[in-house]
Amino acid sequence: GAGVSQSPSNKVTEKGKDVELRCDPISGHTALYWYRQSLGQGLEFLIYFQGNSAPDKSGLPSDRFSAERTGGSVSTLTIQRTQQEDSAVYLCASSLAVRGRESDIQYFGAGTRLSVL
Amino acid sequence: AQKITQTQPGMFVQEKEAVTLDCTYDTSDPSYGLFWYKQPSSGEMIFLIYQGSYDQQNATEGRYSLNFQKARKSANLVISASQLGDSAMYFCAMRETYGKLTFGQGTILTVHP
């Protein structure tokens, strides 16, 4: 389809393991965002990529979290040494990042549900 | 301080009736955007409607309209002629600077037949 694609849809891991979550944005979208949705914290911004600019990492909760975006397209969010509090739904979004920035619509994927046992 | 506040954890509406979901926001930025998203049980966030801070008229998209009261810093979503498929979680969000959205806590809407 033409939407934002995330994989896997579900991931169960053991505490202390590393996990990688993948996001394929909508073709032609230059901006890519990661958010986390958990019961206790609601929807939180994690990181934002815009073209070739340095990413905005201001939302990453700890240095165990990192993300990269290769070739201005696919992005991978990596969580090292997972903890139980990392259990959440990780949502990816992309946007065209057009001029008139406030109206730039972010389109979301279905998310990856991460469960850390 | 909360930047986006949705005070209704849950709302109920009868099918074919209209419903208003409340959203208030807090910002000192003169330029901002307000968004509403729908999240059904499947989990995907679906964009519904956008309102810019400088827009003179309230936004409308089909059965969705945004009641924007800038002085009160409110951006309520109005859904007309509710349908069973409207049952979902609804999020209000704001963008102040280029990039991230800040979301409210969400309102669960249940449409009764």
Side-chain angles (χ1 to χ4, degrees):
Chain A
V4 177
S5 178
Q6 291 188 247
S7 60
S9 54
N10 286 282
K11 177 72 177 178
V12 180
T13 190
E14 293 179 351
K15 179 182 173 180
K17 300 284 190 182
D18 298 352
V19 295
E20 287 188 348
L21 312 179
R22 176 188 168 99
C23 173
D24 280 284
I26 293 172
S27 177
H29 281 192
T30 61
L32 187 146
Y33 314 78
W34 284 97
Y35 295 86
R36 178 170 71 175
Q37 185 174 21
S38 58
L39 283 176
Q41 301 297 323
L43 267 157
E44 307 171 276
F45 164 77
L46 296 177
I47 188 169
Y48 156 56
F49 295 90
Q50 170 53 53
N52 295 321
S53 303
D56 175 359
K57 304 180 182 180
S58 61
L60 294 179
S62 77
D63 58 8
R64 295 186 296 104
F65 288 72
S66 63
E68 63 177 19
R69 188 177 184 192
T70 55
S73 181
V74 172
S75 176
T76 302
L77 177 68
T78 301
I79 309 173
Q80 296 178 310
R81 304 181 302 282
T82 52
Q83 303 294 312
Q84 288 184 332
E85 60 263 29
D86 299 335
S87 296
V89 176
Y90 290 82
L91 292 164
C92 176
S94 70
S95 71
L96 276 172
V98 295
R99 295 180 63 183
R101 58 190 187 189
E102 290 79 17
S103 64
D104 190 38
I105 308 300
Q106 294 183 23
Y107 296 93
F108 284 77
T112 293
R113 182 175 297 278
L114 176 66
S115 299
V116 182
L117 304 179
Chain B
Q2 289 279 1
K3 288 204 168 187
I4 297 283
T5 303
Q6 294 179 253
T7 57
Q8 306 155 316
M11 287 286 286
F12 296 88
V13 66
Q14 205 73 24
E15 193 178 9
K16 300 180 185 178
E17 297 291 315
V19 63
T20 298
L21 306 183
D22 294 342
C23 173
T24 59
Y25 60 92
D26 184 25
T27 181
S28 56
D29 192 335
S31 181
Y32 53 89
L34 296 159
F35 304 78
W36 278 91
Y37 284 86
K38 172 184 178 182
Q39 187 177 42
S41 56
S42 59
E44 187 167 353
M45 297 283 282
I46 301 168
F47 166 72
L48 295 178
I49 196 167
Y50 161 79
Q51 180 83 42
S53 58
Y54 294 119
D55 292 344
Q56 296 297 313
Q57 295 193 344
N58 288 340
T60 60
E61 289 285 350
R63 293 186 300 109
Y64 304 108
S65 61
L66 203 153
N67 184 359
F68 180 48
Q69 299 188 40
K70 194 170 182 177
R72 295 185 176 184
K73 293 188 175 179
S74 74
N76 299 338
L77 176 70
V78 180
I79 305 174
S80 63
S82 297
Q83 302 172 356
L84 296 178
D86 293 335
S87 293
M89 176 80 89
Y90 289 80
F91 289 97
C92 180
M94 177 172 65
R95 174 189 286 122
E96 295 168 285
T97 55
Y98 196 38
K100 70 175 184 179
L101 292 174
T102 302
F103 288 87
Q105 307 93 314
T107 297
I108 299 175
L109 176 66
T110 304
V111 181
H112 289 302

